[in-house]
Amino acid sequence: MEEKTCCCNKKTTQRPEEQVKKLMHRLNRIEGQIRGIRSMVENGAYCNDILIQSAAVTAAMNAFNRELLASHIRSCVVRDIRNGDDLVVDELVETLQRLMK
């Protein structure tokens, strides 16, 4: 889980291939759900049916975020704290505040 800086001054994370596959699988399913909602809107589906599908997408994104957050804490945050970089805690708090809006 090595981090490096790119030209845009943002951190990056190297993830194990299995984790990337798992995250991409979740995102592909979410993308399919979004396309389904788009089709429902285009075809004049009943509002309540669209809202139910929208809620499913929200739940799927929340599950994706929980999985990624847990991985981030176990890898990046722990590593940075062990290396003496306490600023990662402030970054984590800010991220949690954004997720809880």
Side-chain angles (χ1 to χ4, degrees):
M1 319 282 161
E2 170 185 318
E3 286 192 38
K4 53 190 170 188
T5 304
C6 69
C7 62
C8 55
N9 216 13
K10 299 277 184 176
K11 293 180 179 181
T12 61
T13 301
Q14 300 297 318
R15 291 175 184 81
E17 187 176 333
E18 187 59 35
Q19 183 186 26
V20 171
K21 284 182 184 179
K22 191 174 182 181
L23 292 171
M24 293 304 296
H25 179 71
R26 282 183 178 268
L27 290 172
N28 287 337
R29 278 189 301 180
I30 293 166
E31 184 178 16
Q33 289 175 297
I34 296 291
R35 282 194 306 270
I37 292 171
R38 174 185 220 122
S39 177
M40 291 174 79
V41 170
E42 290 172 346
N43 295 320
Y46 186 56
C47 299
N48 195 57
D49 294 338
I50 296 170
L51 289 167
I52 290 169
Q53 291 305 311
S54 178
V57 169
T58 299
M61 280 303 306
N62 286 338
F64 174 85
N65 288 340
R66 281 191 304 272
E67 185 173 326
L68 189 57
L69 179 62
S71 172
H72 176 60
I73 291 169
R74 288 185 188 110
S75 59
C76 303
V77 173
V78 168
R79 183 203 55 234
D80 288 353
I81 289 172
R82 285 180 180 160
N83 289 337
D85 182 5
D86 293 340
L87 292 177
V88 73
V89 174
D90 294 333
E91 178 186 73
L92 179 60
V93 168
E94 182 180 327
T95 298
L96 289 171
Q97 289 172 340
R98 287 181 180 184
L99 289 172
M100 291 180 182
K101 284 186 177 180

